[in-house]
Amino acid sequence: RKQKRGGEGASEDDDEDGDDDDESMEEAEPVDVDGARKQKRRAAPKKSNKGLRLGASPGTPSQPILSQQSNQTSAAVPAASSPAAHAAHAPRSPLTGREKARAAKKLAAAADGGGSGGRNFEERAHQRFKFLRPENIKDASGRRKGDPLYDASTLHIPAGWFKQEKVSPGQQQWWTFKSENFDSVLLFKMGKFYEMYEMDAHVGVEHLGLLYMKGDQPHCGFPEKAYASNAEKLARKGFKVIVVEQTETPEQLAERNRKRKKAGMGVDKVVNREKVAVLSPGTLFDYEMVRNTRGCSYIVAVAEGGDFQIGVSAVDVTTGKMILGQLADNASRSKLTTFLAAINPVEVVVPKGGGSEEDASVTEDTRAMLRRALPGAKLTELIPGDQFWAGGRALEEASGYFEGGALPETLRELRDKGAAIALSALGGIVSFLQRSLLDKAVLPVCQFEVLPEDGIPRLADDEQGARLDASALSNLEIVENAEGSKEGTLLSQLDHCVSGPGHRLLREWLLHPLRKVESIVARQRAVEELRQSGLADDFHAGLKGIPDLERSLTRMAASSVGSGRERDGVVLYEDSCGRRLRAFLATLRGFKKLQILLVRLESERRWESTLLARLLSSLEWAELESLETKFDWVKAERDGQVTPVGFPQHDDAVAKIEEVGEEVQAYLDEVWSKVRGKGTFTGEEMEVAEKTDVPTDWELTSQRKGKGAVRRYQTRELREILQRRTMAEEQKERALREYLRSLVAGFCRHHENFLRAVEVSAQIDVLCSLSMVGDGWCQPNFVEADRGTFRAKALSHPNSGADFVPNDLDLGGEKSFALLTGPNMGGKSTIMRQVCLATILAQIGAPVPARSCELTPVDAIFVRMGARDSIFTGQSTWNVELSDCNSMLQQATPHSLVVLDEFGRGTATSDGIALAAAVMRWLVNRRCLSLFSTHYHLLAQEAGEDVMLWHMACEVDEKDDVTFLYKIRQGVCPSSYGVNVARLAGLPAGVLNRASEVIKMNE
C-alpha cells in the first residue's frame, strides 16, 4: 500500500507491513488489532474554505516575554477563525527576503482555507468541542483562566465526552496527551510517521509547510526521517513541542492482550505511547538540532526576596553549565540586568503570581525589567510551591541526581550561607528540567558556578574579574550589535576560534576581563609565544576536524541514562542503536584526535609560557587508552554494533539463537521428508511450487501467481519455534544496547577528566585566535598605581580600516577626568569607544590597535551613550539616562573607567547643564578615570585645574563647510557647528538660514 503525503518534509513510503499508520485519529471507524483504520495519505485539493485554529491552542506559541500577557494565560486565547488568523499570532522574528516571500505565499494560502479542500473545520470544531470555547476552558483542576493558579498546560475534558462523541480508542489516547500538555504542539508517533491533529495540524500547515490530509479532521504529518528538522523549526519559532513515541509494537500489543485475556481482562486496541521529549528554544539537545550553533542557549529562573535580594539560576543544557547566585541588587535591578545581558537567555522561568508568602515570587517591577531586558525570550510561569519550589525542596530534589545523595560543593556552599532565594531559583530550574524530561541527562554532569552577591563572576583561583554592566555591553557592542547579530562586534573581530568550546570561552573572556596583572601577563606571554612559534595555524588545522566535545560529553551522559528518544522501549524505525554507537565512536575518535594534537603541541618545543606549559601538562588520557582495548573501534563502525566480550546476557542470547537455529533445521528436515518436490525456507515460511501436495496441517500464508507460481505455508509448530527465535534475537538486541550503554556509562564516569581536556583545548584555541589579530597591534604594558592611567600612541579602533585616523591619548594620573567637546559627527563617541575597547582587549590578554599602550587595570567599565526610552517599563529617554547614570555613581570606584556621552541633553538646557556639572564634579572627586563628552560649553567654565579639556578638531571654510579632522586637540571647541553639520545632512536652505538667524539673535 502506498501512503502518499503532501507538503514540505513529506514523502511517499511503501507501507506493505502496515506499520506506518497503526491508528487513525478519525472518529468512530472500524479498527484492527492496533486500533488502526488504514487510510490513504494524500494532499487535499486547494479549495477556498475557512479552517479553525481551536482556542486555547497549543498552536499558539508561548507568549514572548515582551508581551504584557504571560504564557500561562495565553494558552487559553479565544479561537481564531481560520489558519490565516493563526498565522497572524505566530511568533515574530526577523525574516530574510526569501522567508518574507514564502510567508506571504503561505498567508495567501491560509486566507484561501490553507488547502482545507472545502472542509469546514470551524463548524466541526464549534459543534464537537464545546469545552474548547474560550468561555468554557478549564485546566485539569477545573480552574478558569482568571484564577491566579490556573494552569494553562492542562485541559479539563468533560466526563463522558469520549463516550458521548463516540471517540475512538486511538483518538482518546491523543486527547489524553493533549489534555496533559495543552500549551504544546504534539508530535504523535504512528508507525513511521509523526502525526499532527486538530489544532496542531494548523501549526504544521502554517509553520512547516505541510498540507492537510484527506478527511473531515484537521490532520497532517511527516516521516520519521524529517523529525529533527521539523521539531527544531517549531521550537525555534517559539512553540513548546511534545514528542510522543510508541513504546510498543503491534506484536507486543497482541502478546499483552493475550495475557490480559487469560487474566479475564479486556483487551486494549492501541499500542502504548509515552511522552519522551519536550522541545523549546532552551531545551534543544539533539546533535542534529544544535550542530549549526556554537553559542550557549541559557534557560534562567528568577526568584525575588525582600530588600532587592534576587536569586538566579541559569543552565545551558547542551554543555551542562549552571550558574547560581543571590544578588544584592538595587531598585533599578542593575546587577540582574547585567547578568542577563551577559548570558542572553532564550527562556525565562518565573513563579506565577498568587502563591503564599512562603512561596517563591517575582515583583511586578522585576517582571517589567525582564520584559525590557529580554524582549525576545520565551517566558514560562510555574505555579509557586507545586511547580516552582522553595529552597528546601529544591535541595531535596537535586540531591537525588548525585551519587549517594551528596550535594555538590557549590550547592552546599549556598545552603550553608542561607541563600534561600538563590536556592528557590534552583528549584525553578530543577522543576523546569524535570518537566522537560532533561533532569537525568543534565543535572548529574552539571558544572556549577556560584555568582557572588556583587554579580561579578569569580574567575580561576577565585580571582575577581572586571565588571561590564549591561549598558557597556550594549553601547560598546562587545558580543552583539544593536540588530542582535555578531557583525561588527568586538567578538567578531577576535573570533578566529575553530571549536565550539573555544568560541564560547572567548565570549566569556570578553564579558569578564581579568584584573590581576599577573594573570593578564601570563595570557600575553602565551599569545606572543604562539604568534612567534607559528604553531597557531597548525593547531587550528588539527582542531577543525574535531567535533564540539563539550556538547558531546553532555549527549553521552544523556545516552547513558536513556534520555529522550533513546529511552528503553521506544519504537524507532531508524537504526537508533547504530546512531547511538556512531555518536559514541565520534566522541571517542574526537578525543583521540585531541590527544594526538595536544601531545604533539606539547612536544613541539620547550614552552616558556608558564600558562601553556601548565595547560599541556595537566591532562590524563589513561581512560581513553583503556577504551581502545575494550572493543575494536574500526570493527564496531563497520558492523554497526559492538561485539561484547565476557557479557553474559549477550552470550546467553547467542546460545539461544544457535539452539533455535538447530531446532528449525531439525524441524525442516522432518517436514521436507513428507513433501514431494523441492521446497525452500524463506526464514519465515516454507515455499513450494503451486501444485505441490502438502500435509493438511500446513496453513497457507501467502502465494505468488503467474510464471513460477509458488505457495508459502506455516504450521503451528513452526510459528512456535520462530517465536522463540524472535525472543532470542530481541534478547540479543537488548544485550547489545545494554553493553553499549555500559561502555558509555563507564566513559561518563570519567567526565571530569575528559572535560578538563576540552577546557585545555578551548583555552589554547582562544590564545591562538588572539595571536592572529591585527597586524601592527601592540602588547600593552600594565602599571599598578593608586590612580587610573591610560596612555596610547596612534590608538585606532578594532574595526578600523586603512583610512582611519588614529590618535594619541594621555589620560589619568593627576588629571583623571577629560571633558571632550567638538562638532556633531566629529568623532567624540568613537574616541570614547576606542578607549573602552582597548582596555577590554588589554585585560583579556590580547593586543590592542595602537603603536604603544600603557594602562592600569580597571575594576569596571561604565558606559552611557545614545538616547533611548523604554516603552516596556514606561521610562522616558531622560529617565533611562538618569537610571544609567545612577548605576555609575553608585558603583564606580577610583579604579573604574567611566564614559558619559552628552549627559543632560534629555531635559531642559538649564537643568541638563546643572546636572551635568554636578555629575562631572562628583566623578572628579571620586577620581574615576573618566571621559565626558558634551555640547554644553559652559561646563568648561565649571571645570577646575583637575579637569583636562579636549576637543575634536575641525576646519570651517569661507562657505561655512565643515571638514572633520578626527584629531584630539587641547582646549575647548569654539562651537558645535550644528548648523554646518545640518547643511552636510542636506536640510533645506530655508531651515538653515532661519537657524542661523536664531543663533545670531541669541548671541
Side-chain angles (χ1 to χ4, degrees):
R1 235 178 3 260
K2 291 284 187 182
Q3 295 192 333
K4 297 181 180 180
R5 291 173 170 270
E8 182 179 325
S11 68
E12 292 188 8
D13 196 278
D14 197 348
D15 183 31
E16 294 186 359
D17 59 6
D19 285 338
D20 281 7
D21 188 14
D22 64 285
E23 296 166 68
S24 167
M25 304 309 297
E26 299 288 343
E27 294 89 317
E29 294 286 350
V31 296
D32 61 12
V33 71
D34 193 19
R37 179 183 68 81
K38 307 300 179 185
Q39 63 173 339
K40 274 194 173 183
R41 301 171 176 274
R42 61 185 180 85
K46 293 186 178 180
K47 295 183 181 179
S48 176
N49 199 327
K50 292 184 177 181
L52 173 68
R53 178 178 68 87
L54 295 177
S57 165
T60 302
S62 298
Q63 292 283 344
I65 200 168
L66 60 84
S67 171
Q68 296 291 341
Q69 184 180 30
S70 78
N71 78 318
Q72 283 287 322
T73 58
S74 68
V77 176
S81 60
S82 68
H86 169 73
H89 289 83
R92 268 57 171 177
S93 60
L95 298 177
T96 64
R98 180 178 296 180
E99 287 172 334
K100 289 178 180 177
R102 187 182 301 163
K105 184 176 179 180
K106 289 180 180 178
L107 281 172
D112 189 44
S116 57
R119 292 161 291 178
N120 195 330
F121 293 147
E122 179 180 2
E123 180 60 28
R124 170 184 172 277
H126 185 75
Q127 296 299 326
R128 185 172 176 82
F129 307 119
K130 295 179 182 178
F131 59 91
L132 288 179
R133 296 176 185 175
E135 66 273 13
N136 295 335
I137 290 177
K138 301 176 184 177
D139 68 10
S141 299
R143 304 185 186 97
R144 296 188 182 274
K145 186 171 63 174
D147 192 304
L149 296 181
Y150 171 75
D151 182 2
S153 67
T154 64
L155 170 70
H156 171 71
I157 297 178
W161 181 77
F162 288 153
K163 184 175 181 180
Q164 173 188 332
E165 294 293 332
K166 299 179 181 178
V167 180
S168 68
Q171 195 175 22
Q172 289 183 36
Q173 189 184 51
W174 185 88
W175 274 108
T176 299
F177 280 109
K178 194 66 183 176
S179 67
E180 295 167 352
N181 303 277
F182 192 50
D183 59 345
S184 309
V185 174
L186 297 189
L187 300 183
F188 193 78
K189 189 67 171 294
M190 295 176 65
K192 296 180 183 177
F193 287 88
Y194 290 95
E195 307 291 3
M196 304 175 75
Y197 293 97
E198 303 294 356
M199 61 282 282
D200 295 346
H202 303 311
V203 176
V205 169
E206 294 165 19
H207 293 280
L208 299 179
L210 306 176
L211 295 178
Y212 294 111
M213 309 301 264
K214 183 180 179 181
D216 294 334
Q217 181 187 36
H219 171 202
C220 61
F222 54 86
E224 189 177 82
K225 64 184 179 182
Y227 163 77
S229 61
N230 283 329
E232 178 192 358
K233 191 179 297 184
L234 289 175
R236 293 201 185 279
K237 284 175 176 283
F239 293 97
K240 181 179 175 184
V241 181
I242 302 295
V243 183
V244 179
E245 292 284 357
Q246 286 182 205
T247 54
E248 188 178 50
T249 64
E251 293 78 16
Q252 290 169 333
L253 172 64
E255 178 63 19
R256 178 161 60 90
N257 279 333
R258 185 183 63 79
K259 294 177 180 179
R260 290 175 65 90
K261 284 181 180 179
K262 282 186 176 181
M265 302 169 64
V267 299
D268 284 340
K269 294 186 177 181
V270 293
V271 296
N272 284 332
R273 291 182 171 85
E274 293 181 24
K275 179 171 76 171
V276 301
V278 181
L279 307 179
S280 61
T283 63
L284 293 177
F285 191 78
D286 291 356
Y287 170 73
E288 294 84 357
M289 298 182 185
V290 299
R291 62 182 174 182
N292 295 322
T293 61
R294 296 200 299 173
C296 292
S297 298
Y298 277 104
I299 308 161
V300 63
V302 180
E304 191 170 7
D307 298 326
F308 307 116
Q309 293 289 314
I310 296 178
V312 292
S313 179
V315 64
D316 174 36
V317 300
T318 65
T319 62
K321 183 175 182 180
M322 182 179 287
I323 307 171
L324 291 160
Q326 184 163 316
L327 304 175
D329 218 334
N330 50 43
S332 60
R333 277 68 172 181
S334 59
K335 294 177 183 177
L336 176 59
T337 303
T338 297
F339 173 69
L340 295 176
I343 65 170
N344 193 24
V346 296
E347 291 197 59
V348 181
V349 181
V350 295
K352 185 177 174 67
S356 66
E357 291 185 3
E358 294 77 19
D359 291 329
S361 64
V362 168
T363 64
E364 285 304 316
D365 287 342
T366 299
R367 289 176 188 272
M369 188 284 298
L370 292 171
R371 288 194 291 270
R372 173 176 62 84
L374 302 169
K378 176 181 171 65
L379 174 69
T380 297
E381 288 189 314
L382 300 180
I383 297 173
D386 290 340
Q387 299 173 348
F388 199 113
W389 305 322
R393 183 175 175 187
L395 290 175
E396 180 182 348
E397 294 281 347
S399 65
Y401 297 98
F402 305 103
E403 189 173 352
L407 290 170
E409 182 180 352
T410 303
L411 301 186
R412 295 199 304 271
E413 178 184 336
L414 290 172
R415 179 196 62 192
D416 296 343
K417 286 183 177 179
I421 311 303
L423 293 175
S424 182
L426 172 68
I429 279 291
V430 174
S431 174
F432 181 88
L433 290 176
Q434 283 188 5
R435 295 166 66 83
S436 300
L437 306 180
L438 284 175
D439 51 319
K440 295 178 181 178
V442 175
L443 289 172
V445 295
C446 261
Q447 310 156 52
F448 291 97
E449 175 186 328
V450 172
L451 187 69
E453 287 189 357
D454 58 13
I456 305 175
R458 296 298 183 263
L459 308 179
D461 302 322
D462 202 35
E463 180 181 342
Q464 189 176 37
R467 176 200 299 273
L468 297 179
D469 68 1
S471 181
L473 295 176
S474 172
N475 287 304
L476 298 177
E477 298 190 336
I478 305 297
V479 296
E480 190 175 276
N481 62 26
E483 287 74 40
S485 74
K486 306 296 183 290
E487 186 177 356
T489 62
L490 185 58
L491 175 61
S492 70
Q493 289 299 114
L494 302 181
D495 191 7
H496 302 286
C497 297
V498 297
S499 70
H503 167 80
R504 292 188 288 272
L505 182 62
L506 175 58
R507 189 179 188 277
E508 288 294 312
W509 282 14
L510 285 170
L511 292 172
H512 310 297
L514 298 171
R515 286 175 56 185
K516 189 187 294 184
V517 173
E518 180 183 351
S519 300
I520 298 171
V521 171
R523 284 188 188 171
Q524 287 181 335
R525 290 174 178 169
V527 169
E528 184 61 21
E529 188 169 2
L530 284 167
R531 187 186 66 79
Q532 292 180 358
S533 69
L535 293 173
D537 287 333
D538 291 341
F539 183 78
H540 272 176
L543 205 56
K544 282 181 180 178
I546 298 175
D548 190 330
L549 294 176
E550 186 175 26
R551 287 177 169 173
S552 294
L553 285 173
T554 309
R555 285 198 301 274
M556 288 302 101
S559 181
S560 69
V561 297
S563 177
R565 296 166 77 230
E566 295 185 354
R567 180 185 301 183
D568 282 339
V570 170
V571 179
L572 295 176
Y573 290 87
E574 64 181 24
D575 183 7
S576 59
C577 188
R579 180 165 60 89
R580 192 179 311 173
L581 174 60
R582 289 191 296 273
F584 184 42
L585 287 172
T587 301
L588 294 178
R589 292 188 185 280
F591 275 107
K592 189 61 183 178
K593 289 179 181 178
L594 185 60
Q595 177 192 11
I596 294 170
L597 184 63
L598 291 173
V599 169
R600 187 176 68 208
L601 183 64
E602 183 181 15
S603 63
E604 286 285 351
R605 58 185 287 154
R606 184 176 180 276
W607 292 97
E608 296 179 5
S609 162
T610 56
L611 175 58
L612 286 173
R614 177 169 54 82
L615 290 174
L616 291 169
S617 63
S618 65
L619 300 176
E620 173 59 56
W621 300 104
E623 179 57 29
L624 182 64
E625 292 165 354
S626 172
L627 279 167
E628 289 185 272
T629 65
K630 288 184 178 179
F631 69 100
D632 187 332
W633 296 4
V634 175
K635 185 177 185 299
E637 189 169 34
R638 183 181 64 246
D639 297 345
Q641 66 180 31
V642 178
T643 303
V645 177
F647 198 61
Q649 297 97 310
H650 178 264
D651 296 341
D652 291 346
V654 171
K656 287 181 181 178
I657 291 174
E658 293 175 352
E659 179 183 332
V660 173
E662 294 173 357
E663 191 176 352
V664 169
Q665 189 58 52
Y667 177 78
L668 292 175
D669 291 342
E670 178 184 349
V671 297
W672 289 137
S673 65
K674 302 176 182 177
V675 177
R676 289 186 177 182
K678 184 179 180 181
T680 58
F681 181 60
T682 66
E684 298 288 340
E685 300 164 310
M686 297 175 292
E687 183 179 280
V688 296
E690 183 177 29
K691 296 182 179 180
T692 303
D693 291 331
V694 298
T696 56
D697 61 342
W698 284 30
E699 301 170 9
L700 180 66
T701 53
S702 64
Q703 59 185 330
R704 184 178 71 229
K705 296 290 188 179
K707 186 178 180 180
V710 297
R711 290 185 176 183
R712 304 183 188 97
Y713 297 89
Q714 281 189 344
T715 65
R716 179 178 58 80
E717 293 86 352
L718 178 60
R719 278 197 296 271
E720 291 176 352
I721 297 172
L722 294 180
Q723 180 66 23
R724 290 196 294 273
R725 184 185 69 179
T726 299
M727 293 175 63
E729 289 171 345
E730 289 176 353
Q731 180 183 340
K732 178 184 175 183
E733 288 300 315
R734 285 195 300 271
L736 288 173
R737 286 196 299 269
E738 184 57 35
Y739 185 69
L740 175 58
R741 183 167 294 173
S742 69
L743 289 174
V744 175
F747 171 85
C748 291
R749 281 194 290 272
H750 300 272
H751 179 273
E752 291 185 3
N753 287 342
F754 289 112
L755 182 61
R756 176 60 183 163
V758 174
E759 292 170 345
V760 166
S761 69
Q763 289 192 59
I764 298 176
D765 188 10
V766 176
L767 293 170
C768 288
S769 181
L770 297 183
S771 74
M772 299 174 178
V773 301
D775 290 338
W777 291 19
C778 72
Q779 283 286 9
N781 294 320
F782 282 90
V783 295
E784 297 196 62
D786 293 336
R787 304 190 68 168
T789 299
F790 184 93
R791 298 185 182 92
K793 294 290 186 182
L795 179 66
S796 188
H797 191 285
N799 288 337
S800 63
D803 57 348
F804 191 89
V805 179
N807 271 284
D808 296 344
L809 292 174
D810 189 347
L811 177 65
E814 292 303 316
K815 293 184 178 182
S816 59
F817 189 100
L819 185 67
L820 183 60
T821 57
N824 299 99
M825 298 170 55
K828 298 187 297 298
S829 298
T830 301
I831 283 289
M832 294 190 291
R833 285 191 175 97
Q834 287 173 236
V835 173
C836 294
L837 295 175
T839 301
I840 293 170
L841 286 169
Q843 291 190 213
I844 69 168
V848 300
R851 188 181 308 123
S852 66
C853 182
E854 181 180 88
L855 70 159
T856 54
V858 302
D859 60 8
I861 298 177
F862 298 100
V863 180
R864 166 64 209 177
M865 286 183 174
R868 69 185 189 279
D869 57 14
S870 177
I871 60 175
F872 298 113
T873 56
Q875 289 181 289
S876 67
T877 302
W878 179 232
N879 197 332
V880 172
E881 191 170 350
L882 290 173
S883 178
D884 288 349
C885 181
N886 180 56
S887 177
M888 295 178 180
L889 300 182
Q890 294 291 337
Q891 300 178 69
T893 74
H895 298 286
S896 300
L897 173 59
V898 175
V899 169
L900 278 165
D901 184 25
E902 300 181 20
F903 175 74
R905 63 183 171 183
T907 186
T909 302
S910 57
D911 290 345
I913 292 174
L915 281 166
V919 169
M920 178 178 70
R921 180 46 50 190
W922 190 96
L923 292 172
V924 170
N925 294 338
R926 189 70 170 173
R927 296 187 175 184
C928 303
L929 197 63
S930 305
L931 283 167
F932 192 127
S933 72
T934 186
H935 289 293
Y936 295 148
H937 292 179
L938 289 175
L939 291 180
Q941 300 175 14
E942 294 292 325
E945 294 183 356
D946 49 3
V947 173
M948 288 186 288
L949 301 179
W950 293 350
H951 73 274
M952 301 303 298
C954 66
E955 293 179 350
V956 183
D957 62 17
E958 64 279 0
K959 295 181 181 180
D960 285 341
D961 289 336
V962 177
T963 301
F964 303 117
L965 302 180
Y966 303 113
K967 278 291 188 179
I968 287 184
R969 298 285 187 263
Q970 298 294 322
V972 180
C973 188
S975 170
S976 291
Y977 301 104
V979 176
N980 307 69
V981 176
R983 182 176 289 107
L984 292 177
L987 267 66
V991 172
L992 298 173
N993 293 335
R994 178 55 185 162
S996 298
E997 292 173 2
V998 173
I999 290 175
K1000 291 178 180 179
M1001 289 168 53
N1002 290 323
E1003 285 180 344

